């Protein structure tokens, strides 16, 4: 492990421990695990292990281990419960054609975790430690990585929170880091049929200088009411907007970044700033040229989005995210607005980009950009598990 720097610039001691591999056997019987993997849903089931580490100013990062999944015992005064000093990440492990397992661009998640930590005044976890914790957890729970036939994968959720019991408003001096894993099928039940978005102009997810580009729990807490309203209006997800100098712009959609395909083959997405810098967003932009699309990052006025869907010059809309991968947006609704995108069916470019990305993730296509990060060769026998 290397040392880490606090936001106040203080260097912490260099700890010596790394993520020690757990001796604990799996606790879920193999039959139960197989039944879960046959229909995992999203976020409903957890694997047998977790990764953990702790931070304090005196010791820096220490106590790193992969252990059996277990609950925390928190003092009621624990800072995260009061001031939401918390960040998280989302990435997946994919079963490869030879039975091995690979991550996809995990160093981007590690770098974003550092940036989120900085914004939330949490200690920075060295990126190599982040990747190691995730890789070690996947190795311990390799039997939980689904068969790729259904595009299911093992969703990994690293997180960090203020664990100090103290009611003053200042950065916590005791911090917990952890990673849990959950087998994941499609995020949306509508799946490849596409989703509808409710345009929310009443609430703001993020403002310039706020926490919009950090992956912190507070952003998601603030999105829950707009998301519930979207459901009440019969839509799958909310489309967040942001007002700048009297004009309304597209921000992001629920848990995803938004993309537009125009009739003249531009692939437009809102510029970074208040939105989350998505790993899938970055991947889509990098692949645009291979799909004869010209990638454009710029502010997207809401009026332009609705107007150009209406006049047919926007031909496809889709959303991207680790959980959602690439999900087609087939219609938008809002107070006084109701537009279907083109024919109201998922578009060709959306389907092709989704296929390209999932083929890279599942190793069905040569990894010519070095994005795949193998963590296991072939899976051995299900050793050490109760049957
Ligand atoms: C992801 O796509 O990984 C996310 O973090 C979205 C999530 C909140 C389900």
């Amino acid at each position: 492990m290397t040392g880490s720097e606090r936001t106040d610039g203080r260097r912490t001691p260099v700890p010596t421990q790394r993520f020690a591999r757990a001796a604990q056997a799996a606790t879920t019987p193999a039959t139960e695990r197989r039944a879960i993997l046959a229909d995992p849903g999203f976020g409903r089931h957890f694997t047998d292990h977790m990764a953990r580490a702790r931070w304090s100013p005196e010791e820096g990062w220490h106590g790193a281990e992969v252990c059996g999944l277990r609950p925390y015992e928190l003092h009621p005064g624990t800072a995260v419960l009061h001031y939401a000093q918390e960040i998280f990440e989302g990435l997946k492990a994919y079963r490869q054609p030879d039975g091995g397992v690979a991550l996809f661009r995990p160093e981007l998640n590690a770098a974003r975790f550092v940036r989120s930590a900085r914004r939330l005044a949490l200690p920075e976890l060295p990126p190599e430690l982040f990747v190691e914790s995730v890789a070690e957890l996947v190795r311990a729970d390799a039997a939980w990585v689904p068969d790729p036939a259904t595009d299911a994968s093992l969703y990994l959720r690293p997180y960090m929170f203020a664990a100090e019991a103290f009611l003053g408003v200042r950065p916590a001096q005791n911090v917990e880091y952890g990673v849990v894993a959950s087998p994941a099928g499609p995020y949306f039940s509508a799946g490849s049929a596409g989703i509808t978005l409710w345009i929310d102009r009443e609430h703001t997810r993020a403002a310039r200088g706020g926490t919009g580009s950090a992956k912190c729990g507070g952003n998601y807490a603030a999105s829950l009411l707009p998301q519930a309203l979207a459901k009440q209006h019969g839509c799958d997800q909310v489309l967040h907007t942001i007002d700048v100098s009297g004009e309304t712009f597209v921000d992001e959609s629920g848990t995803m970044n938004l993309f537009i395909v125009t009739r003249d083959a531009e692939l437009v997405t809102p510029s970074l700033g208040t939105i989350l810098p998505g790993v899938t967003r970055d991947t889509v932009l990098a692949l645009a040229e291979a799909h004869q699309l010209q990638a454009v990052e710029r502010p997207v006025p809401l009026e332009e989005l609705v107007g150009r869907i209406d006049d047919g010059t926007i031909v496809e809309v889709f959303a991207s995210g680790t959980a959602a991968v690439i999900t087609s947006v087939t219609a938008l609704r809002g107070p006084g607005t109701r537009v279907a995108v083109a024919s109201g069916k998922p578009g060709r470019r959306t389907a092709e980009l989704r296929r390209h990305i999932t083929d890279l993730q599942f190793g069905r296509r040569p990894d010519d950009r070095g994005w795949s990060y193998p963590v296991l060769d072939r899976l051995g026998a299900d050793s050490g598990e109760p049957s």
Side-chain angles (χ1 to χ4, degrees):
M1 258 192 242
T2 58
S4 66
E5 275 203 24
R6 290 290 312 226
T7 45
D8 58 12
R10 261 182 302 141
R11 183 156 275 284
T12 56
V14 178
T16 51
Q17 270 176 291
R18 298 188 70 98
F19 282 87
R21 183 75 175 275
Q24 285 100 329
T27 48
T28 310
T31 44
E32 192 183 320
R33 191 191 67 238
R34 284 192 202 103
I36 291 170
L37 291 181
D39 180 21
F42 184 87
R44 290 193 277 126
H45 306 279
F46 292 89
T47 61
D48 297 307
H49 296 93
M50 69 185 296
R52 300 178 62 148
R54 292 187 296 284
W55 183 92
S56 69
E58 300 76 31
E59 292 182 274
W61 286 107
H62 63 283
E65 60 173 345
V66 170
C67 56
L69 183 73
R70 58 174 188 254
Y72 292 99
E73 193 171 295
L74 294 183
H75 186 285
T78 303
V80 68
L81 302 176
H82 303 270
Y83 308 127
Q85 194 189 8
E86 185 270 352
I87 57 170
F88 70 97
E89 267 303 322
L91 68 166
K92 288 172 171 171
Y94 305 89
R95 178 77 63 203
Q96 304 296 292
D98 66 355
V101 180
L103 306 172
F104 188 70
R105 311 187 76 190
E107 53 298 317
L108 294 193
N109 297 91
R112 189 171 62 186
F113 203 57
V114 167
R115 293 196 302 273
S116 297
R118 209 170 281 156
R119 181 63 184 84
L120 272 286
L122 283 162
E124 295 169 23
L125 183 73
E128 66 277 12
L129 213 60
F130 175 99
V131 175
E132 183 188 329
S133 65
V134 168
E136 278 303 317
L137 178 60
V138 172
R139 289 180 192 121
D141 279 329
W144 283 93
V145 183
D147 187 300
T150 54
D151 276 2
S153 51
L154 186 63
Y155 186 82
L156 299 152
R157 171 53 61 84
Y159 56 92
M160 191 194 288
F161 65 89
E164 185 184 357
F166 175 71
L167 294 182
V169 180
R170 58 145 171 78
Q173 301 293 292
N174 290 318
V175 169
E176 281 277 344
Y177 167 70
V179 191
V180 291
S182 173
Y187 189 69
F188 293 108
S189 50
S192 54
I195 59 167
T196 52
L197 299 184
W198 174 254
I199 302 166
D200 179 26
R201 300 186 63 163
E202 198 182 333
H203 312 91
T204 299
R205 178 194 157 272
R208 195 170 288 181
T211 58
S213 63
K215 203 160 174 71
C216 61
N219 290 345
Y220 293 79
S223 77
L224 297 177
L225 174 64
Q227 173 59 28
L229 294 175
K231 287 268 178 223
Q232 277 175 25
H233 287 98
C235 293
D236 299 294
Q237 273 281 334
V238 59
L239 176 63
H240 299 289
T241 60
I242 178 165
D243 287 353
V244 181
S245 310
E247 195 172 2
T248 304
F249 292 88
V250 173
D251 189 65
E252 59 180 53
S253 162
T255 58
M256 303 167 291
N257 296 122
L258 202 78
F259 281 90
I260 290 162
V261 180
T262 68
R263 197 162 58 193
D264 48 4
E266 273 192 345
L267 180 69
V268 184
T269 195
S271 330
L272 295 180
T274 59
I275 62 168
L276 189 79
V279 174
T280 314
R281 175 186 183 276
D282 186 86
T283 303
V284 170
L285 290 172
L287 295 179
E289 203 181 326
H291 290 258
Q292 292 78 50
L293 291 167
Q294 196 198 332
V296 181
E297 293 174 79
R298 64 167 169 82
V300 179
L302 179 63
E303 205 178 323
E304 175 190 341
L305 174 69
V306 174
R308 293 187 65 189
I309 291 175
D310 221 13
D311 72 17
T313 55
I314 287 177
V315 292
E316 295 182 41
V317 178
F318 65 86
S320 70
T322 299
V325 196
I326 300 283
T327 299
S328 176
V329 174
T330 49
L332 272 87
R333 289 185 212 147
T337 305
R338 203 180 184 91
V339 281
V341 182
S343 65
K345 297 216 169 67
R348 176 175 64 85
R349 287 329 216 304
T350 304
E352 286 172 357
L353 277 161
R354 182 185 165 97
R355 169 51 69 96
H356 194 154
I357 292 173
T358 52
D359 281 353
L360 287 168
Q361 290 169 333
F362 285 100
R364 297 187 291 247
R365 193 177 175 125
D367 177 29
D368 46 8
R369 297 171 194 245
W371 284 345
S372 185
Y373 187 99
V375 289
L376 267 178
D377 294 338
R378 285 178 59 83
L379 177 69
D382 283 0
S383 55
E385 294 175 40
S387 51

